[in-house]
Amino acid sequence: MKVTTLVVPAAGLGTRVLPLTKNLAKEMLPIADRPAMHYAAKEAADSGITRMALVIARGKESIAHYFTRDLNLERELSTKGKTKELAAISEPAKFFDSVVSIYQDEQKGLGHAVLCAKSAVGNDETFAISLPDDVMMCEPPCLRQMINACEKYGADGAIALVSVPPGEAHRYGIVAGRELDGRTIQIDTLVEKPKPGEAPSNLAIMGRYIANPYLFECIEKTAPGAVGEIQVTDALQQFAKTKKLIGVRYEGTRLDAGDMTGYIKTQFILAAQNPVYRKIMEDILTNGVPRDNAA
Ligand code: G1P
């Protein structure tokens, strides 16, 4: 199965991490030493995806700029022999052959944001969707695991899944279906943000999806649902009626950088992956914050 395009809904206001997002796109907030968006893009590139369609709002153009070359800066760093920095700024421009931005003028929900990318995806290609709030630490990359599972089962689409405690189901899309193997289910039921006691299982949707363009038709027919918005989850319920939709319990860890405590935790975990930053963090946690001008 060839998956060429990654759709990234990135038009949100980032109200769950204010004031950081007062004048910065949420997707450009630093997580360890890279912007949040870097991780979702790298995962897609490492999964074999070659195009990215960013669905943005006015004022969020900086997300696309991060994935373009800055020839002046490249020349400057090259002249000064700053090879590490040069490699770091050049990397994101190499992830994709092309990056397009599409404006979502009105905030009508995740489903509506995905629909905005319809013409960028085209009519006959299976595509991927990533919600960059969910940072996936997976090997192979999460989207790759999902594409592999689609190939194995001849599926038309896939969703990344994780089991959550019953008390957390209301925060997610929840799915149910028939077990195919220990990691994969065929999905027949999807409910976005179920009310207490109404979740069909404990399997929650994490922000990674694969679908063929029939999903766009389903979204077009989907009325506003949970929180008054057009939901991808509701459109996928239509999709699953006639298409084979699987759920993949990926190998790895999902970090939720979408609210303030999750964002701080994600910072901590990703910084700790780097031995230099890890040492700094360990020193501080062991010895406390060093005092200037100690007597
Ligand atoms: C979105 C989806 C939801 C999914 C979640 C994963 O919700 O609508 O189905 O479980 O992402 O992060 P949001 O976090 O935008 O409320």
Side-chain angles (χ1 to χ4, degrees):
M1 173 189 276
K2 193 153 172 48
V3 180
T4 310
T5 306
L6 174 73
V7 173
V8 181
L13 298 173
T15 46
R16 288 184 281 192
V17 285
L18 279 169
L20 298 177
T21 43
K22 189 178 172 192
N23 52 352
L24 251 188
K26 178 172 66 167
E27 294 75 11
M28 295 312 291
L29 292 177
I31 299 182
D33 54 8
R34 295 289 185 276
M37 191 57 225
H38 182 100
Y39 299 93
K42 183 171 192 311
E43 174 199 335
D46 288 347
S47 299
I49 289 171
T50 53
R51 295 182 71 227
M52 179 163 67
L54 287 165
V55 181
I56 59 168
R58 277 163 59 95
K60 298 189 82 176
E61 294 79 8
S62 61
I63 307 172
H65 295 168
Y66 181 72
F67 296 97
T68 61
R69 289 185 68 185
D70 183 335
L71 294 176
N72 284 337
L73 187 55
E74 282 180 25
R75 256 193 303 273
E76 183 88 6
L77 294 171
S78 171
T79 312
K80 292 187 172 152
K82 297 194 175 236
T83 47
K84 220 175 106 200
E85 290 81 359
L86 180 61
I89 64 136
S90 306
E91 187 193 12
K94 292 180 187 150
F95 285 156
F96 304 108
D97 297 337
S98 70
V99 175
V100 293
S101 298
I102 303 120
Y103 285 96
Q104 183 188 16
D105 296 326
E106 285 177 279
Q107 305 275 318
K108 293 193 203 166
L110 184 57
H112 177 255
V114 171
L115 187 57
C116 291
K118 182 181 175 185
S119 57
V121 171
N123 293 328
D124 41 38
E125 267 190 31
T126 297
F127 63 103
I129 306 167
S130 264
L131 312 186
D133 276 1
D134 288 332
V135 179
M136 308 304 279
M137 283 174 66
C138 300
E139 196 45 55
C142 187
L143 285 172
R144 186 70 248 168
Q145 293 184 36
M146 295 165 71
I147 296 166
N148 290 349
C150 284
E151 283 169 354
K152 181 173 172 190
Y153 287 104
D156 302 298
I159 301 174
L161 296 180
V162 83
S163 301
V164 296
E168 286 184 22
H170 68 279
R171 295 176 50 198
Y172 298 102
I174 302 290
V175 310
R178 180 170 61 87
E179 294 289 336
L180 297 175
D181 63 48
R183 291 211 167 266
T184 323
I185 70 165
Q186 178 155 351
I187 297 174
D188 53 37
T189 308
L190 302 93
V191 183
E192 179 65 14
K193 307 215 165 61
K195 298 194 175 72
E198 289 181 11
S201 80
N202 66 346
L203 286 174
I205 301 174
M206 299 296 117
R208 298 294 182 276
Y209 310 79
I210 306 282
N212 68 29
Y214 178 62
L215 179 62
F216 295 123
E217 276 180 54
C218 297
I219 299 174
E220 279 163 346
K221 291 184 198 136
T222 298
V227 296
E229 295 185 344
I230 298 170
Q231 299 289 351
V232 169
T233 306
D234 297 340
L236 283 165
Q237 176 67 79
Q238 285 306 310
F239 186 93
K241 283 186 181 158
T242 54
K243 304 285 177 196
K244 188 167 187 178
L245 178 67
I246 58 172
V248 179
R249 295 180 183 93
Y250 52 85
E251 287 182 61
T253 302
R254 167 257 191 181
L255 304 169
D256 178 6
D259 64 19
M260 195 60 93
T261 49
Y263 173 67
I264 300 291
K265 185 172 165 188
T266 304
Q267 295 267 23
F268 185 83
I269 293 174
L270 289 188
Q273 304 307 302
N274 178 314
V276 176
Y277 308 146
R278 188 186 184 92
K279 170 99 178 46
I280 296 169
M281 288 155 69
E282 281 172 352
D283 277 354
I284 294 170
L285 292 173
T286 313
N287 304 319
V289 180
R291 283 189 64 177
D292 293 338
N293 306 320

Short mmCIF file of all heavy atoms in Angstrom, two decimals, residues 227-261:
data_model
loop_
_atom_site.label_atom_id
_atom_site.label_comp_id
_atom_site.label_asym_id
_atom_site.label_seq_id
_atom_site.Cartn_x
_atom_site.Cartn_y
_atom_site.Cartn_z
N VAL A 227 -19.27 17.96 21.21
CA VAL A 227 -18.92 19.38 21.39
C VAL A 227 -19.33 20.26 20.19
O VAL A 227 -18.72 21.30 19.91
CB VAL A 227 -17.42 19.61 21.78
CG1 VAL A 227 -17.10 19.01 23.12
CG2 VAL A 227 -16.44 19.09 20.73
N GLY A 228 -20.38 19.82 19.48
CA GLY A 228 -20.94 20.63 18.39
C GLY A 228 -20.04 20.71 17.16
O GLY A 228 -20.22 21.59 16.32
N GLU A 229 -19.07 19.78 17.04
CA GLU A 229 -18.12 19.86 15.93
C GLU A 229 -18.25 18.64 15.01
O GLU A 229 -18.71 17.57 15.43
CB GLU A 229 -16.70 19.92 16.49
CG GLU A 229 -16.46 21.20 17.29
CD GLU A 229 -15.02 21.34 17.76
OE1 GLU A 229 -14.28 20.34 17.74
OE2 GLU A 229 -14.64 22.47 18.12
N ILE A 230 -17.80 18.81 13.77
CA ILE A 230 -17.79 17.70 12.81
C ILE A 230 -16.59 16.82 13.16
O ILE A 230 -15.45 17.27 13.11
CB ILE A 230 -17.70 18.23 11.36
CG1 ILE A 230 -18.94 19.08 11.06
CG2 ILE A 230 -17.58 17.07 10.38
CD1 ILE A 230 -18.87 19.85 9.75
N GLN A 231 -16.88 15.59 13.56
CA GLN A 231 -15.85 14.71 14.12
C GLN A 231 -15.38 13.66 13.11
O GLN A 231 -16.21 13.05 12.42
CB GLN A 231 -16.40 13.99 15.36
CG GLN A 231 -16.82 14.93 16.49
CD GLN A 231 -15.62 15.59 17.18
OE1 GLN A 231 -14.47 15.24 16.95
NE2 GLN A 231 -15.90 16.56 18.04
N VAL A 232 -14.07 13.43 13.05
CA VAL A 232 -13.53 12.35 12.21
C VAL A 232 -14.08 11.01 12.68
O VAL A 232 -14.38 10.13 11.88
CB VAL A 232 -11.98 12.33 12.30
CG1 VAL A 232 -11.41 11.06 11.67
CG2 VAL A 232 -11.39 13.52 11.60
N THR A 233 -14.20 10.87 14.00
CA THR A 233 -14.67 9.59 14.56
C THR A 233 -16.05 9.24 14.00
O THR A 233 -16.29 8.08 13.63
CB THR A 233 -14.73 9.70 16.10
OG1 THR A 233 -13.46 10.13 16.56
CG2 THR A 233 -15.08 8.38 16.75
N ASP A 234 -16.95 10.22 13.91
CA ASP A 234 -18.30 9.95 13.38
C ASP A 234 -18.23 9.57 11.90
O ASP A 234 -18.94 8.67 11.44
CB ASP A 234 -19.21 11.18 13.56
CG ASP A 234 -19.43 11.51 15.03
OD1 ASP A 234 -19.22 10.61 15.88
OD2 ASP A 234 -19.79 12.66 15.34
N ALA A 235 -17.36 10.26 11.15
CA ALA A 235 -17.21 9.94 9.73
C ALA A 235 -16.64 8.53 9.57
O ALA A 235 -17.04 7.78 8.67
CB ALA A 235 -16.29 10.97 9.06
N LEU A 236 -15.73 8.15 10.45
CA LEU A 236 -15.15 6.80 10.38
C LEU A 236 -16.19 5.73 10.70
O LEU A 236 -16.08 4.60 10.24
CB LEU A 236 -13.94 6.70 11.31
CG LEU A 236 -12.66 7.36 10.76
CD1 LEU A 236 -11.62 7.53 11.86
CD2 LEU A 236 -12.07 6.55 9.60
N GLN A 237 -17.19 6.07 11.49
CA GLN A 237 -18.28 5.11 11.76
C GLN A 237 -19.00 4.79 10.45
O GLN A 237 -19.31 3.63 10.16
CB GLN A 237 -19.25 5.68 12.80
CG GLN A 237 -20.46 4.81 13.07
CD GLN A 237 -20.08 3.49 13.78
OE1 GLN A 237 -19.85 3.47 14.97
NE2 GLN A 237 -20.02 2.41 13.02
N GLN A 238 -19.23 5.81 9.62
CA GLN A 238 -19.82 5.59 8.29
C GLN A 238 -18.88 4.76 7.43
O GLN A 238 -19.28 3.81 6.76
CB GLN A 238 -20.07 6.94 7.59
CG GLN A 238 -21.26 7.70 8.12
CD GLN A 238 -22.51 6.86 8.10
OE1 GLN A 238 -22.85 6.24 7.08
NE2 GLN A 238 -23.21 6.78 9.22
N PHE A 239 -17.61 5.15 7.45
CA PHE A 239 -16.56 4.48 6.65
C PHE A 239 -16.55 2.98 6.96
O PHE A 239 -16.51 2.15 6.06
CB PHE A 239 -15.23 5.14 7.04
CG PHE A 239 -14.02 4.70 6.25
CD1 PHE A 239 -13.62 5.41 5.11
CD2 PHE A 239 -13.23 3.63 6.66
CE1 PHE A 239 -12.48 5.05 4.40
CE2 PHE A 239 -12.09 3.25 5.96
CZ PHE A 239 -11.71 3.97 4.82
N ALA A 240 -16.63 2.65 8.25
CA ALA A 240 -16.49 1.25 8.69
C ALA A 240 -17.68 0.39 8.26
O ALA A 240 -17.61 -0.83 8.30
CB ALA A 240 -16.33 1.20 10.21
N LYS A 241 -18.78 1.04 7.84
CA LYS A 241 -19.96 0.25 7.42
C LYS A 241 -19.69 -0.52 6.13
O LYS A 241 -20.19 -1.61 5.93
CB LYS A 241 -21.17 1.17 7.23
CG LYS A 241 -21.79 1.57 8.55
CD LYS A 241 -23.06 2.34 8.36
CE LYS A 241 -23.62 2.74 9.72
NZ LYS A 241 -24.51 3.89 9.63
N THR A 242 -18.90 0.11 5.23
CA THR A 242 -18.65 -0.56 3.94
C THR A 242 -17.17 -0.82 3.68
O THR A 242 -16.84 -1.54 2.74
CB THR A 242 -19.21 0.29 2.78
OG1 THR A 242 -18.65 1.60 2.89
CG2 THR A 242 -20.72 0.36 2.81
N LYS A 243 -16.29 -0.21 4.46
CA LYS A 243 -14.85 -0.40 4.24
C LYS A 243 -14.24 -1.15 5.41
O LYS A 243 -14.78 -1.12 6.53
CB LYS A 243 -14.14 0.96 4.11
CG LYS A 243 -14.70 1.86 3.03
CD LYS A 243 -14.30 1.40 1.66
CE LYS A 243 -14.94 2.30 0.61
NZ LYS A 243 -14.90 1.70 -0.72
N LYS A 244 -13.10 -1.78 5.13
CA LYS A 244 -12.42 -2.51 6.20
C LYS A 244 -11.53 -1.54 6.98
O LYS A 244 -10.54 -1.04 6.44
CB LYS A 244 -11.59 -3.65 5.60
CG LYS A 244 -11.01 -4.59 6.63
CD LYS A 244 -10.48 -5.85 5.96
CE LYS A 244 -10.05 -6.87 6.98
NZ LYS A 244 -9.57 -8.10 6.36
N LEU A 245 -11.93 -1.29 8.22
CA LEU A 245 -11.19 -0.36 9.08
C LEU A 245 -10.62 -1.15 10.25
O LEU A 245 -11.36 -1.83 10.97
CB LEU A 245 -12.15 0.72 9.60
CG LEU A 245 -11.55 1.76 10.56
CD1 LEU A 245 -10.53 2.64 9.84
CD2 LEU A 245 -12.67 2.65 11.15
N ILE A 246 -9.31 -1.07 10.41
CA ILE A 246 -8.70 -1.83 11.50
C ILE A 246 -8.16 -0.88 12.58
O ILE A 246 -7.87 0.29 12.32
CB ILE A 246 -7.57 -2.77 11.01
CG1 ILE A 246 -6.46 -1.99 10.29
CG2 ILE A 246 -8.12 -3.87 10.13
CD1 ILE A 246 -5.23 -2.83 9.95
N GLY A 247 -8.03 -1.40 13.78
CA GLY A 247 -7.41 -0.67 14.88
C GLY A 247 -6.10 -1.35 15.22
O GLY A 247 -6.06 -2.58 15.28
N VAL A 248 -5.05 -0.57 15.42
CA VAL A 248 -3.72 -1.13 15.66
C VAL A 248 -3.23 -0.73 17.05
O VAL A 248 -3.08 0.46 17.34
CB VAL A 248 -2.73 -0.63 14.58
CG1 VAL A 248 -1.33 -1.20 14.84
CG2 VAL A 248 -3.22 -1.00 13.19
N ARG A 249 -3.02 -1.74 17.89
CA ARG A 249 -2.37 -1.48 19.19
C ARG A 249 -0.88 -1.43 18.89
O ARG A 249 -0.21 -2.46 18.88
CB ARG A 249 -2.66 -2.60 20.18
CG ARG A 249 -4.13 -2.74 20.59
CD ARG A 249 -4.23 -3.89 21.58
NE ARG A 249 -5.56 -4.20 22.02
CZ ARG A 249 -6.37 -5.11 21.46
NH1 ARG A 249 -5.98 -5.81 20.41
NH2 ARG A 249 -7.57 -5.34 21.97
N TYR A 250 -0.42 -0.21 18.59
CA TYR A 250 0.97 -0.03 18.15
C TYR A 250 1.94 -0.43 19.27
O TYR A 250 1.60 -0.39 20.46
CB TYR A 250 1.20 1.44 17.76
CG TYR A 250 0.77 2.39 18.85
CD1 TYR A 250 1.64 2.72 19.89
CD2 TYR A 250 -0.52 2.89 18.89
CE1 TYR A 250 1.23 3.55 20.92
CE2 TYR A 250 -0.94 3.72 19.91
CZ TYR A 250 -0.06 4.03 20.92
OH TYR A 250 -0.46 4.84 21.96
N GLU A 251 3.17 -0.73 18.85
CA GLU A 251 4.26 -0.96 19.82
C GLU A 251 4.92 0.37 20.08
O GLU A 251 5.39 1.01 19.13
CB GLU A 251 5.29 -1.91 19.24
CG GLU A 251 4.84 -3.35 19.17
CD GLU A 251 5.95 -4.23 18.62
OE1 GLU A 251 7.03 -4.31 19.23
OE2 GLU A 251 5.72 -4.83 17.56
N GLY A 252 4.96 0.81 21.32
CA GLY A 252 5.61 2.07 21.64
C GLY A 252 4.83 2.87 22.65
O GLY A 252 3.97 2.33 23.35
N THR A 253 5.10 4.17 22.72
CA THR A 253 4.49 5.03 23.72
C THR A 253 3.97 6.30 23.06
O THR A 253 4.65 6.92 22.25
CB THR A 253 5.55 5.45 24.78
OG1 THR A 253 6.07 4.26 25.36
CG2 THR A 253 4.95 6.33 25.86
N ARG A 254 2.74 6.69 23.46
CA ARG A 254 2.19 7.96 22.99
C ARG A 254 2.29 8.97 24.12
O ARG A 254 1.94 8.69 25.27
CB ARG A 254 0.74 7.74 22.58
CG ARG A 254 -0.06 9.01 22.36
CD ARG A 254 -0.96 9.27 23.53
NE ARG A 254 -1.93 10.32 23.25
CZ ARG A 254 -2.82 10.73 24.14
NH1 ARG A 254 -2.90 10.15 25.33
NH2 ARG A 254 -3.66 11.68 23.85
N LEU A 255 2.82 10.14 23.78
CA LEU A 255 2.92 11.21 24.76
C LEU A 255 1.91 12.28 24.36
O LEU A 255 1.85 12.67 23.19
CB LEU A 255 4.34 11.79 24.76
CG LEU A 255 5.45 10.77 25.00
CD1 LEU A 255 6.81 11.39 24.73
CD2 LEU A 255 5.39 10.26 26.43
N ASP A 256 1.12 12.75 25.30
CA ASP A 256 0.08 13.74 25.01
C ASP A 256 0.60 15.13 25.35
O ASP A 256 0.64 15.51 26.52
CB ASP A 256 -1.17 13.40 25.84
CG ASP A 256 -2.27 14.42 25.63
OD1 ASP A 256 -2.12 15.31 24.76
OD2 ASP A 256 -3.30 14.33 26.33
N ALA A 257 0.99 15.86 24.32
CA ALA A 257 1.53 17.22 24.55
C ALA A 257 0.44 18.27 24.40
O ALA A 257 0.73 19.46 24.27
CB ALA A 257 2.68 17.48 23.58
N GLY A 258 -0.83 17.85 24.43
CA GLY A 258 -1.93 18.75 24.10
C GLY A 258 -2.42 19.62 25.23
O GLY A 258 -3.16 20.58 25.00
N ASP A 259 -2.09 19.29 26.49
CA ASP A 259 -2.44 20.21 27.57
C ASP A 259 -1.17 20.47 28.40
O ASP A 259 -0.13 19.87 28.15
CB ASP A 259 -3.60 19.69 28.43
CG ASP A 259 -3.26 18.40 29.16
OD1 ASP A 259 -2.06 18.08 29.31
OD2 ASP A 259 -4.19 17.70 29.57
N MET A 260 -1.27 21.39 29.36
CA MET A 260 -0.03 21.88 29.98
C MET A 260 0.73 20.79 30.73
O MET A 260 1.95 20.68 30.56
CB MET A 260 -0.35 23.07 30.90
CG MET A 260 0.87 23.86 31.29
SD MET A 260 1.74 24.58 29.87
CE MET A 260 0.99 26.19 29.78
N THR A 261 0.05 19.97 31.53
CA THR A 261 0.80 18.95 32.27
C THR A 261 1.37 17.90 31.31
O THR A 261 2.52 17.45 31.47
CB THR A 261 -0.05 18.26 33.36
OG1 THR A 261 -1.28 17.86 32.77
CG2 THR A 261 -0.31 19.16 34.54
#
